[in-house]
PDB file of all heavy atoms in Angstrom:
ATOM      1  N   GLU L  66     -28.367  -0.966-150.759  1.00 92.00           N
ATOM      2  CA  GLU L  66     -28.445  -1.600-149.421  1.00 92.00           C
ATOM      3  C   GLU L  66     -29.499  -2.559-149.273  1.00 92.00           C
ATOM      4  O   GLU L  66     -29.511  -3.507-148.498  1.00 92.00           O
ATOM      5  CB  GLU L  66     -28.563  -0.473-148.353  1.00 92.00           C
ATOM      6  CG  GLU L  66     -28.546  -0.974-146.905  1.00 92.00           C
ATOM      7  CD  GLU L  66     -27.243  -1.646-146.531  1.00 92.00           C
ATOM      8  OE1 GLU L  66     -26.167  -1.393-147.110  1.00 92.00           O
ATOM      9  OE2 GLU L  66     -27.259  -2.428-145.548  1.00 92.00           O
ATOM     10  N   ALA L  99      -7.683 -15.077-174.173  1.00 85.00           N
ATOM     11  CA  ALA L  99      -6.902 -15.620-175.322  1.00 85.00           C
ATOM     12  C   ALA L  99      -5.494 -15.196-175.249  1.00 85.00           C
ATOM     13  O   ALA L  99      -4.528 -15.908-175.671  1.00 85.00           O
ATOM     14  CB  ALA L  99      -7.535 -15.221-176.653  1.00 85.00           C
ATOM     15  N   GLY L 111       6.688 -28.033-168.257  1.00 58.00           N
ATOM     16  CA  GLY L 111       7.229 -27.744-166.951  1.00 58.00           C
ATOM     17  C   GLY L 111       7.280 -26.238-166.606  1.00 58.00           C
ATOM     18  O   GLY L 111       7.499 -25.895-165.528  1.00 58.00           O
ATOM     19  N   GLU L 115       1.809 -26.759-170.530  1.00 66.00           N
ATOM     20  CA  GLU L 115       0.832 -27.841-170.553  1.00 66.00           C
ATOM     21  C   GLU L 115      -0.568 -27.321-170.317  1.00 66.00           C
ATOM     22  O   GLU L 115      -1.549 -28.007-170.642  1.00 66.00           O
ATOM     23  CB  GLU L 115       1.276 -28.929-169.566  1.00 66.00           C
ATOM     24  CG  GLU L 115       1.223 -28.530-168.089  1.00 66.00           C
ATOM     25  CD  GLU L 115       2.526 -27.839-167.670  1.00 66.00           C
ATOM     26  OE1 GLU L 115       3.419 -27.673-168.538  1.00 66.00           O
ATOM     27  OE2 GLU L 115       2.640 -27.459-166.497  1.00 66.00           O
ATOM     28  N   ILE L 124     -10.759 -19.563-168.909  1.00 92.00           N
ATOM     29  CA  ILE L 124     -12.096 -19.026-168.763  1.00 92.00           C
ATOM     30  C   ILE L 124     -12.260 -18.392-167.430  1.00 92.00           C
ATOM     31  O   ILE L 124     -12.093 -19.065-166.356  1.00 92.00           O
ATOM     32  CB  ILE L 124     -13.165 -20.137-168.970  1.00 92.00           C
ATOM     33  CG1 ILE L 124     -12.980 -20.840-170.375  1.00 92.00           C
ATOM     34  CG2 ILE L 124     -14.614 -19.618-168.736  1.00 92.00           C
ATOM     35  CD1 ILE L 124     -13.406 -19.926-171.473  1.00 92.00           C
ATOM     36  N   ARG L 126     -14.744 -16.881-164.791  1.00 95.00           N
ATOM     37  CA  ARG L 126     -16.171 -16.911-164.537  1.00 95.00           C
ATOM     38  C   ARG L 126     -16.739 -15.617-164.036  1.00 95.00           C
ATOM     39  O   ARG L 126     -16.183 -14.902-163.192  1.00 95.00           O
ATOM     40  CB  ARG L 126     -16.459 -17.999-163.480  1.00 95.00           C
ATOM     41  CG  ARG L 126     -16.077 -19.316-163.891  1.00 95.00           C
ATOM     42  CD  ARG L 126     -16.281 -20.412-162.872  1.00 95.00           C
ATOM     43  NE  ARG L 126     -15.842 -21.719-163.414  1.00 95.00           N
ATOM     44  CZ  ARG L 126     -15.928 -22.885-162.724  1.00 95.00           C
ATOM     45  NH1 ARG L 126     -16.513 -22.899-161.519  1.00 95.00           N
ATOM     46  NH2 ARG L 126     -15.535 -23.972-163.255  1.00 95.00           N
ATOM     47  N   LEU L 129     -22.780 -13.861-162.947  1.00 96.00           N
ATOM     48  CA  LEU L 129     -23.896 -14.758-163.234  1.00 96.00           C
ATOM     49  C   LEU L 129     -23.500 -16.212-163.033  1.00 96.00           C
ATOM     50  O   LEU L 129     -24.256 -17.001-162.494  1.00 96.00           O
ATOM     51  CB  LEU L 129     -24.488 -14.459-164.619  1.00 96.00           C
ATOM     52  CG  LEU L 129     -25.698 -13.463-164.618  1.00 96.00           C
ATOM     53  CD1 LEU L 129     -25.231 -12.107-164.407  1.00 96.00           C
ATOM     54  CD2 LEU L 129     -26.415 -13.631-165.949  1.00 96.00           C
ATOM     55  N   LEU L 198     -38.080  -4.665-169.444  1.00 92.00           N
ATOM     56  CA  LEU L 198     -38.973  -4.287-168.404  1.00 92.00           C
ATOM     57  C   LEU L 198     -40.067  -5.283-168.239  1.00 92.00           C
ATOM     58  O   LEU L 198     -40.571  -5.535-167.072  1.00 92.00           O
ATOM     59  CB  LEU L 198     -39.548  -2.894-168.658  1.00 92.00           C
ATOM     60  CG  LEU L 198     -38.589  -1.722-168.656  1.00 92.00           C
ATOM     61  CD1 LEU L 198     -39.273  -0.392-169.093  1.00 92.00           C
ATOM     62  CD2 LEU L 198     -37.928  -1.502-167.303  1.00 92.00           C
ATOM     63  N   VAL L 213     -41.342   7.987-141.572  1.00 90.00           N
ATOM     64  CA  VAL L 213     -40.400   6.885-141.888  1.00 90.00           C
ATOM     65  C   VAL L 213     -38.993   7.335-141.679  1.00 90.00           C
ATOM     66  O   VAL L 213     -38.155   6.531-141.224  1.00 90.00           O
ATOM     67  CB  VAL L 213     -40.688   6.447-143.350  1.00 90.00           C
ATOM     68  CG1 VAL L 213     -39.605   5.402-143.804  1.00 90.00           C
ATOM     69  CG2 VAL L 213     -42.115   5.881-143.551  1.00 90.00           C
ATOM     70  N   LEU L 225     -30.415  10.102-130.185  1.00 91.00           N
ATOM     71  CA  LEU L 225     -30.594  11.571-130.670  1.00 91.00           C
ATOM     72  C   LEU L 225     -31.801  12.186-129.912  1.00 91.00           C
ATOM     73  O   LEU L 225     -32.851  11.642-129.836  1.00 91.00           O
ATOM     74  CB  LEU L 225     -30.816  11.514-132.141  1.00 91.00           C
ATOM     75  CG  LEU L 225     -30.781  12.898-132.805  1.00 91.00           C
ATOM     76  CD1 LEU L 225     -29.437  13.513-132.739  1.00 91.00           C
ATOM     77  CD2 LEU L 225     -31.168  12.770-134.299  1.00 91.00           C
ATOM     78  N   LYS L 248     -29.803  19.488-156.808  1.00 91.00           N
ATOM     79  CA  LYS L 248     -29.676  18.123-156.291  1.00 91.00           C
ATOM     80  C   LYS L 248     -30.303  18.122-154.828  1.00 91.00           C
ATOM     81  O   LYS L 248     -29.703  18.724-153.951  1.00 91.00           O
ATOM     82  CB  LYS L 248     -28.251  17.627-156.267  1.00 91.00           C
ATOM     83  CG  LYS L 248     -28.127  16.217-155.693  1.00 91.00           C
ATOM     84  CD  LYS L 248     -26.707  15.846-155.430  1.00 91.00           C
ATOM     85  CE  LYS L 248     -26.714  14.381-154.850  1.00 91.00           C
ATOM     86  NZ  LYS L 248     -27.568  14.231-153.649  1.00 91.00           N
TER      87      LYS L 248
END
Side-chain angles (χ1 to χ4, degrees):
E66 185 61 25
E115 64 276 2
I124 301 293
R126 299 178 181 185
L129 265 72
L198 295 175
V213 173
L225 190 63
K248 183 195 177 303

